[in-house]
Amino acid sequence: LLYERHGEAAAVVQLKDLEVPKLGDCDVHIKMLAAPINPADINMIQGRTYPLLSPLPAVGGNEGVGEVLEVGRRVKALKPGDWVIPADAGLGTWRTWGVFPEEMLLKVPSDIPVLCAATLSVNPCTAFRLLADFESLAPGDSIIQNAANSGVGQAVIQIARASGIKTINVVRDRPDLTKLVERLMALGADHVITEEMLRKPEMKNIFKSIPRPRLALNCVGGKSTTEMLRHLQPKGTMVTYGGMAKQPVMVPVSAFIFRDMRLRGFWMTQWRKDHAHDQESVAAMMDALCQLIRRGQLTAPACTEVPLQDYRAALEASMKPFVSSKQILLL
């Protein structure tokens, strides 16, 4: 799926037949199996606000899983039949075949479900780092997050649950709220509340059974963030990793002065750049996530599987509000 100019994804992305490049000595020929459509993919195609843009013409997609068909004679770590995911953003995963240098790919176990592998490199990794890198959380601690039904939000709930950490999950009010609450509770959420509820005195009841959170995860911005900050413990940390409301993060001065709040930011792409030569950290994270998947403690987000030729409908569906299902292209 190629785009030759920036713009609205459903308008500029086209399905094109291209020749598969010749296999070099350090290259790997892969058949893509499945690739999701993530908000960052759409932002890159729009070309307006995202700091990472592929040179045009570009193939869409930053995430997915493929099977190795053939390897160049200098390739050491991969062999035919192995499953691989992108080692970094910008690979262009919305394709049936591809030839890539070995260092652009990460091997993953082929005994995990294909949808888990296809959605492994962005959301679960982001969730893992958000929970690991900003506060030292222990079993019984709690965190609060907005956009809890997003791919990252669902992964945070499950990884936290496996570590004994309680989650307070904020979602937007919607027509099928009850169904969404049930789904997040089934994943292991301790509390699911709407943004309106954040402002209500009943919030105090939640903190009778669990401690106030030391960590807040913000993917929205605007009013949601300010309200969430109110419930953090003094010296707590709020990490912003998305801005769905397209509004700035507003923080009362008193939160800094009297409660010594810390505000941090996180971008998985930057983490990967910073750890490009620290393969141990990357391997440890991937191993931990794959173990959770094998134990049934981490599942793929709610997905809608779409054949490649129906890509336009999938792109349009991924842009609709309140869609709690990730569009996955089957390749």
Side-chain angles (χ1 to χ4, degrees):
L1 290 177
L2 203 70
Y3 57 100
E4 294 172 335
R5 62 190 171 88
H6 294 299
E8 290 314 313
V12 300
V13 171
Q14 295 174 311
L15 187 56
K16 293 225 166 154
D17 282 330
L18 302 174
E19 294 247 325
V20 177
K22 205 165 150 288
L23 189 75
D25 286 353
C26 301
D27 289 342
V28 180
H29 181 194
I30 66 171
K31 178 194 184 314
M32 289 301 297
L33 303 174
I37 298 174
N38 288 321
D41 305 329
I42 302 291
N43 292 342
M44 283 173 73
I45 295 165
Q46 289 168 337
R48 289 196 293 264
T49 55
Y50 208 65
L52 178 74
L53 298 178
S54 299
L56 298 176
V59 177
N62 289 291
E63 189 178 34
V65 63
E67 183 182 339
V68 175
L69 297 177
E70 194 184 351
V71 300
R73 58 193 181 88
R74 289 211 188 140
V75 172
K76 296 279 184 284
L78 296 170
K79 61 184 187 310
D82 285 347
W83 278 14
V84 289
I85 62 173
D88 209 344
L91 192 71
T93 53
W94 301 347
R95 63 173 87 216
T96 48
W97 318 89
V99 172
F100 303 106
E102 181 184 14
E103 72 267 12
M104 291 176 78
L105 303 167
L106 272 183
K107 183 178 168 181
V108 291
S110 54
D111 65 347
I112 61 174
V114 71
L115 293 184
C116 288
T119 55
L120 182 61
S121 64
V122 178
N123 294 334
C125 290
T126 300
F128 186 91
R129 301 265 54 108
L130 289 171
L131 289 168
D133 292 355
F134 296 93
E135 287 281 348
S136 47
L137 298 167
D141 285 345
S142 76
I143 65 124
I144 187 168
Q145 65 165 345
N146 55 23
N149 57 311
S150 67
V152 172
Q154 293 176 56
V156 163
I157 290 170
Q158 294 174 85
I159 296 168
R161 177 63 179 265
S163 314
I165 294 157
K166 310 287 184 192
T167 58
I168 303 162
N169 300 281
V170 186
V171 296
R172 287 183 294 173
D173 202 0
R174 64 195 62 215
D176 60 344
L177 182 65
T178 315
K179 205 184 279 181
L180 176 62
V181 171
E182 282 168 7
R183 198 154 61 76
L184 296 182
M185 296 298 271
L187 288 180
D190 294 282
H191 298 275
V192 182
I193 59 173
T194 61
E195 295 195 334
E196 291 70 31
M197 172 91 176
L198 274 175
R199 296 171 202 125
K200 295 197 170 151
E202 291 92 304
M203 279 298 290
K204 288 199 184 92
N205 296 335
I206 288 179
F207 301 121
K208 286 176 183 166
S209 58
I210 62 174
R212 282 186 177 270
R214 294 223 311 276
L215 180 66
L217 306 177
N218 168 46
C219 182
V220 178
K223 202 179 275 183
S224 166
T225 311
T226 316
E227 297 295 344
M228 205 164 56
L229 197 66
R230 248 190 227 178
H231 301 293
L232 268 191
Q233 279 186 31
K235 297 191 189 308
T237 303
M238 183 162 75
V239 187
T240 294
Y241 68 95
M244 283 158 53
K246 297 186 168 63
Q247 291 166 351
V249 170
M250 307 287 275
V251 180
V253 170
S254 60
F256 284 124
I257 298 173
F258 304 121
R259 293 168 64 219
D260 192 14
M261 291 300 183
R262 275 178 292 235
L263 264 65
R264 299 285 306 273
F266 181 77
W267 187 33
M268 193 65 219
T269 302
Q270 188 62 48
W271 188 92
R272 287 193 193 283
K273 278 197 184 82
D274 295 345
H275 293 79
H277 302 296
D278 176 11
Q279 283 313 303
E280 273 179 34
S281 291
V282 177
M285 170 174 69
M286 288 314 206
D287 191 46
L289 291 170
C290 289
Q291 293 284 10
L292 289 173
I293 291 167
R294 284 196 195 94
R295 291 202 295 262
Q297 292 177 304
L298 179 62
T299 57
C303 291
T304 303
E305 298 172 48
V306 184
L308 181 62
Q309 57 270 27
D310 297 340
Y311 72 92
R312 198 160 269 132
L315 286 169
E316 283 166 2
S318 72
M319 302 289 286
K320 286 184 183 143
F322 302 130
V323 174
S324 293
S325 185
K326 195 177 278 292
Q327 306 292 308
I328 305 261
L329 298 167
L330 297 181
L331 307 163

